[in-house]
């Protein structure tokens, strides 16, 4: 019967959760720690993110009878990793709330969303590539101290990319836990329910410009727009205005507890939209509901997740985070140089962003985007004057 749940719904949903967590949770935890979060606060971050993703996946998929999968912004977390230390934790929380407000305004205005989507893919990809480059370079920073560990991870990555790409990050995650146990001894795991920790937000102009705006732009361009495209590519046309508005409000409510971003998923969403989830297109929403249930459980297991990852030595964190983002960096670099028209501006954006400097309390990502857009306008006007 069409109303019955199938094993494929559960397996597809749980695969989406596994891929999402195994490829990015270490980045989120590291970003939270660099933001100044205590161990209890880091747990609160994962609790808030798990609950937010779980509730939104279940609610919208059930309401619209379509696979609506949400996620945290992995590129956004990568951006925070290199920028958030320049601000206090309350300022960062305030920036997350402003980011949510900007996302809500964008969701209400189709013209504004269209304007943002007009930023050339080369420029936005260069911004993303510049953010990811330092993280991916860290794969090789520990070669002299730990050559065998680095070589082992790279060997698994090469073999896994060829023979089991879907489960590659899960395999690397398991190896990371084993390696951490070998280097640090037994990891003490205690099962306890996580407790939300409130951090009162503070609002500053520098944090709005340096954190909120770039986080909003990165999330919109690299997550929400591709998420919309994934829906359309699979023949689904939900009311994205309602979905994007809802998850923006959810972000605003959960930001003080660590919910730094919520957005439409792209890669993990595709796992719930294909024939592997259900041959009947109208029943695939159940896979997204299963993913939502999985996210809720991961939120409730936040204490265990944090213990596993906080115990990891820096070398393991570097390897896991860098290898997890390698495919994303590759795709971003390809798009950066794809267009002859914007290649010069994209290169400036990439180099400026990757440099990691801060000027006037504004991060290199903001300066990179501004310089790239300015150079694009200058060259565009120059071209018009010639014609």
């Amino acid at each position: 019967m069409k109303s019955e749940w199938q094993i494929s719904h559960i397996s597809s949903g749980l695969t989406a959760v596994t891929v999402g967590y195994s490829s990015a949770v270490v980045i989120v935890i590291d970003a939270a720690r660099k933001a100044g979060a205590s161990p209890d606060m880091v747990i609160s971050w994962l609790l808030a993110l798990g609950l937010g993703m779980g509730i939104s996946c279940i609610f919208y998929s059930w309401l619209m009878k379509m696979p609506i999968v949400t996620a945290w912004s992995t590129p956004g977390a990568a951006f925070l990793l290199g920028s958030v230390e320049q601000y206090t934790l309350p300022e960062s929380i305030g920036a997350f709330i402003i980011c949510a407000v900007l996302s809500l305004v964008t969701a209400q205005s189709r013209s504004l969303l269209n304007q943002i989507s007009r930023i050339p893919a080369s420029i936005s990809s260069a911004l993303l590539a510049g953010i990811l480059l330092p993280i991916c370079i860290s794969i090789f920073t520990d070669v002299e101290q730990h050559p065998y560990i680095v070589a082992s991870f790279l060997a698994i990555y090469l073999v896994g990319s060829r023979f089991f790409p879907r489960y590659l990050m899960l395999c690397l995650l398991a190896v990371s836990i084993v390696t951490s146990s070998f280097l640090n001894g037994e990891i003490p795991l205690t099962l306890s329910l996580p407790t939300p920790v409130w951090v009162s937000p503070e609002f500053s102009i520098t944090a709005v410009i340096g954190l909120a705006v770039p986080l909003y732009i990165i999330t919109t361009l690299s997550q929400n727009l591709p998420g919309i495209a994934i829906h359309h590519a699979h023949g689904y046309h939900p009311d994205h205005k309602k979905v994007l508005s809802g998850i923006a409000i959810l972000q605003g409510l959960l930001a003080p507890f660590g919910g730094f971003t919520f957005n439409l998923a792209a890669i993990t969403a595709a796992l719930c939209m294909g024939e592997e989830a259900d041959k009947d297109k109208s029943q695939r929403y159940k896979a997204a509901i299963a993913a939502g249930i999985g996210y809720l459980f991961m939120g409730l297991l936040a204490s265990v997740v944090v213990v596993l990852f906080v115990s990891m030595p820096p070398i393991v964190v570097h390897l896991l985070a860098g290898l997890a983002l390698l495919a994303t960096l590759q795709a971003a670099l390809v798009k950066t140089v794809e267009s002859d028209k914007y290649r010069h501006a994209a290169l400036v954006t990439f180099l400026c962003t990757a440099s990691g400097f801060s000027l006037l309390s504004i991060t290199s990502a903001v300066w990179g985007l501004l310089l790239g857009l300015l150079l694009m306008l200058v060259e565009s006007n120059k071209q018009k004057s010639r014609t």
Side-chain angles (χ1 to χ4, degrees):
M1 293 177 62
K2 296 294 184 182
S3 60
E4 291 181 349
W5 279 68
Q6 301 177 13
I7 294 297
S8 61
H9 299 147
I10 299 172
S11 62
S12 294
L14 294 185
T15 298
V17 173
T18 301
V19 170
Y21 265 77
S22 61
S23 63
V25 69
V26 64
I27 302 165
V28 173
I29 291 174
D30 210 15
R33 295 168 72 185
K34 288 191 174 182
S38 65
D40 287 342
M41 290 177 184
V42 175
I43 292 172
S44 179
W45 278 47
L46 287 188
L47 172 63
L49 290 167
L51 292 179
M53 293 185 295
I55 291 170
S56 53
C57 282
I58 294 170
F59 176 74
Y60 284 112
S61 297
W62 174 81
L63 180 67
M64 299 182 177
K65 297 298 185 288
M66 299 181 195
I68 310 295
V69 181
T70 58
W72 59 52
S73 173
T74 299
F79 161 70
L80 293 178
L81 205 57
S83 306
V84 77
E85 285 182 293
Q86 301 173 41
Y87 307 93
T88 66
L89 181 57
E91 283 180 322
S92 299
I93 297 299
F96 300 161
I97 294 175
I98 296 298
C99 176
V101 172
L102 294 173
S103 297
L104 180 59
V105 171
T106 302
Q108 298 299 310
S109 172
R110 297 191 187 279
S111 61
L112 181 57
L113 189 62
N114 290 335
Q115 288 296 321
I116 293 173
S117 65
R118 289 179 61 186
I119 295 177
S122 296
I123 302 293
S124 60
S125 297
L127 176 67
L128 179 57
I131 291 168
L132 298 180
L133 182 64
I135 300 174
C136 292
I137 285 178
S138 67
I139 295 171
F140 305 100
T141 55
D142 302 300
V143 169
E144 292 183 1
Q145 292 79 17
H146 303 281
Y148 297 113
I149 294 177
V150 175
S152 299
F153 272 76
L154 289 174
I156 294 170
Y157 182 82
L158 293 173
V159 173
S161 297
R162 173 64 179 85
F163 294 105
F164 45 91
R166 177 176 290 188
Y167 304 103
L168 172 58
M169 288 314 304
L170 181 61
C171 181
L172 285 172
L173 178 59
V175 172
S176 298
I177 294 172
V178 172
T179 304
S180 299
S181 300
F182 176 76
L183 294 176
N184 292 341
E186 186 178 351
I187 300 174
L189 293 179
T190 56
L191 186 60
S192 60
L193 288 177
T195 303
V197 178
W198 170 277
V199 176
S200 296
E202 293 180 4
F203 301 96
S204 68
I205 297 298
T206 53
V208 169
I209 297 174
L211 278 185
V213 172
L215 182 62
Y216 155 72
I217 292 174
I218 291 164
T219 300
T220 301
L221 293 177
S222 66
Q223 297 287 146
N224 283 330
L225 292 181
I228 293 172
I230 287 288
H231 277 136
H232 292 169
H234 287 82
Y236 295 105
H237 298 275
D239 187 340
H240 286 114
K241 180 178 179 180
K242 287 183 179 179
V243 177
L244 292 176
S245 298
I247 59 180
I249 293 172
L250 197 61
Q251 178 181 331
L253 294 174
L254 293 177
F257 302 101
F260 69 97
T261 53
F262 295 102
N263 47 254
L264 292 174
I267 296 173
T268 52
L271 295 172
C272 298
M273 295 183 190
E275 290 190 359
E276 297 84 359
D278 197 311
K279 293 190 180 298
D280 185 348
K281 178 181 168 183
S282 67
Q283 298 298 306
R284 293 173 192 167
Y285 74 94
K286 294 175 182 175
I289 292 178
I293 295 172
Y295 281 130
L296 291 179
F297 274 109
M298 292 303 293
L300 295 175
L301 292 172
S303 300
V304 175
V305 174
V306 170
V307 169
L308 283 175
F309 285 93
V310 168
S311 65
M312 288 184 178
I315 178 179
V316 176
V317 174
H318 292 163
L319 286 165
L320 192 58
L323 292 172
L325 294 170
L326 207 53
T328 307
L329 174 62
Q330 176 184 314
L333 286 172
V334 169
K335 288 185 179 179
T336 296
V337 298
E338 202 169 42
S339 170
D340 291 339
K341 184 177 181 181
Y342 303 115
R343 190 172 293 162
H344 188 195
L347 178 62
V348 171
T349 299
F350 169 67
L351 292 175
C352 182
T353 302
S355 67
F357 74 89
S358 176
L359 179 63
L360 303 177
S361 297
I362 298 174
T363 59
S364 61
V366 180
W367 289 115
L369 180 61
L370 291 175
L371 284 173
L373 293 175
L374 180 61
L375 183 56
M376 181 189 73
L377 291 174
V378 169
E379 292 186 338
S380 177
N381 291 331
K382 182 179 179 181
Q383 188 67 28
K384 289 180 180 178
S385 63
R386 285 180 177 177
T387 58

